[in-house]
Amino acid sequence: MIKEDEVFRIGRLGKAHGVKGEVSFQFDDDIFDSVDCDYLILEVDGILVPFFIEEYRFRSDTVALVKFEDVDSQQRAQELTGCDVYFPRSLADEDDTPSLAMLVGYAIVDATTNTKVGRIATIDDSTVNLLFELEDGRLIPANDDLINNIDSKGKVITMTIPEGLLEL
């Protein structure tokens, strides 16, 4: 059984495309194209299930059309609509620099006080300045100048957090 801490979210499936089982895939991270992996993990009814990729093609910088093995009809593809898509951390960890999507779930530790500030719920990249949104709703700038260390094994980011920022 695949556990949540073994994967990270990279996108969501959209509508079925055509009648042969293709489905649109809106992705935040294109790691599936750059790392040798022949499957993606879908959350189906709360369970993480591997689906093997037969083929895919890009429609834009953030959308691909994916054909999974054994998904051979429009009806079967429609059943997958809305499923969150995940990628195995074990395959992505081979790279020294984690992607933004991989950082979701990491703990933030203040370098000055060495205390845990919170856990990253999402990454807000809707503006020029990236923000870590913590589970409690607080926002912390994801600025390289503030990040001291990223521990991929321990899933911890040590940051120098400006005084007063956490009180906003």
Side-chain angles (χ1 to χ4, degrees):
M1 180 176 218
I2 301 170
K3 297 177 184 163
E4 248 183 86
D5 63 344
E6 296 173 339
V7 298
F8 63 98
R9 187 180 179 281
I10 61 169
R12 183 179 204 103
L13 294 182
K15 296 179 180 180
H17 180 81
V19 295
K20 296 188 179 185
E22 278 188 320
V23 63
S24 66
F25 170 35
Q26 177 93 28
F27 56 89
D28 303 319
D29 190 330
D30 65 352
I31 192 166
F32 67 95
D33 187 47
S34 59
V35 173
D36 188 25
C37 184
D38 55 354
Y39 65 95
L40 294 174
I41 298 165
L42 307 183
E43 185 175 6
V44 181
D45 297 328
I47 299 171
L48 297 173
V49 182
F51 277 77
F52 287 87
I53 301 169
E54 197 171 292
E55 63 183 8
Y56 64 90
R57 65 184 191 273
F58 290 98
R59 291 199 71 181
S60 72
D61 291 344
T62 59
V63 177
L65 295 177
V66 179
K67 170 72 174 74
F68 292 109
E69 288 181 9
D70 300 323
V71 179
D72 296 326
S73 68
Q74 182 178 20
Q75 179 182 352
R76 180 69 178 112
Q78 286 173 338
E79 293 171 3
L80 299 176
T81 297
C83 287
D84 283 331
V85 180
Y86 296 85
F87 195 80
R89 285 188 187 274
S90 61
L91 296 177
D93 282 345
E94 295 171 3
D95 187 50
D96 289 339
T97 307
S99 68
L100 285 176
M102 283 182 64
L103 298 178
V104 172
Y106 277 43
I108 301 285
V109 172
D110 185 348
T112 307
T113 62
N114 204 30
T115 58
K116 181 178 172 184
V117 174
R119 188 166 303 281
I120 299 172
T122 62
I123 310 256
D124 182 351
D125 62 354
S126 61
T127 64
V128 174
N129 299 313
L130 290 175
L131 298 169
F132 294 138
E133 183 175 344
L134 303 182
E135 291 173 340
D136 63 7
R138 293 184 291 174
L139 299 172
I140 296 178
N143 186 305
D144 287 340
D145 294 338
L146 300 178
I147 297 173
N148 298 2
N149 184 43
I150 298 176
D151 176 7
S152 295
K153 290 190 190 318
K155 298 181 185 167
V156 174
I157 300 173
T158 305
M159 299 182 70
T160 303
I161 299 174
E163 190 176 325
L165 180 69
L166 298 176
E167 285 77 42
L168 295 177

